[in-house]
Amino acid sequence: MAGRAGRLGVVSALGVAVLADTHIRRGGRRRLPATAYAVLERADVILHGGDVVDHDLLTELGHLAPTHAVLGNNDGDLAGVLPGTQLMDLAGVSVAMVHDSGPRRGREARLRRQFPAADVVVFGHSHEPVDTIGLSRQRLFNPGSPTERRRQPSHTMGWLALADGRVAEHRIIVL
């Protein structure tokens, strides 16, 4: 979904590709799957919920679309480059990002306290896809991992379509 320019050139809709836990190291054999690139190429914005590992991936993603990322626990070389959290407005939707949301138990309340104004909280760390509504209608969104599925049946990433201050579409994409 491509962004549409409204009157005055303000984007009223955005297609947002969401990644986390890519764990791609420079010179390593791990790469994003071709199916992930097919999604990324349609995005107006890319969000990465941490554990990027190497700056080269951020550069590559930035060539596809404006990219925002947060620092993950495996992002030692990116300390000082990436923030621990981010809060941004995308098409009138308040989107927060953090890598580690903590244990499942208490997650909804913890994220609501940390990001009280956020409509959507993107996170990673567990490699477990999550797309649910938490407290006060806050969407909690973990795209899983496109490269390291761990205990999950498939590699995954996420997609959000944001339009006119609301989440118009949300899904976990099996790659």
Side-chain angles (χ1 to χ4, degrees):
M1 170 185 283
R4 296 185 307 265
R7 286 181 284 167
L8 305 177
V10 176
V11 175
S12 61
L14 289 174
V16 183
V18 186
L19 297 168
D21 298 298
T22 50
H23 295 269
I24 295 177
R25 299 185 190 289
R26 183 178 315 174
R29 294 178 16 161
R30 182 176 293 159
R31 300 278 183 260
L32 290 176
T35 49
Y37 282 107
V39 174
L40 292 165
E41 289 169 357
R42 296 184 304 125
D44 298 304
V45 175
I46 299 169
L47 302 180
H48 197 299
D51 279 357
V52 177
V53 180
D54 186 71
H55 196 276
D56 289 348
L57 178 62
L58 288 178
T59 301
E60 180 181 355
L61 295 174
H63 289 301
L64 298 172
T67 300
H68 305 275
V70 292
L71 189 69
N73 59 301
N74 288 295
D75 288 332
D77 290 346
L78 297 171
V81 174
L82 295 178
T85 62
Q86 281 204 49
L87 184 61
M88 66 198 83
D89 182 282
L90 297 173
V93 177
S94 177
V95 179
M97 291 197 310
V98 63
H99 179 61
D100 187 354
S101 68
R104 254 185 238 119
R105 185 179 176 125
R107 178 184 288 149
E108 292 179 14
R110 192 171 41 256
L111 291 175
R112 176 46 87 189
R113 281 190 307 274
Q114 187 173 4
F115 304 107
D119 301 310
V120 177
V121 179
V122 170
F123 61 99
H125 190 59
S126 68
H127 297 227
E128 296 174 8
V130 172
D131 181 9
T132 190
I133 295 293
L135 298 173
S136 302
R137 308 286 307 151
Q138 185 177 65
R139 179 163 301 282
L140 306 180
F141 198 80
N142 181 337
S145 173
T147 57
E148 194 175 286
R149 62 185 177 84
R150 292 190 180 164
R151 297 171 302 279
Q152 300 307 304
S154 304
H155 296 104
T156 57
M157 67 182 293
W159 181 264
L160 298 169
L162 308 177
D164 302 318
R166 65 184 184 80
V167 178
E169 181 185 353
H170 53 93
R171 60 190 162 108
I172 301 296
I173 300 170
V174 175
L175 300 174

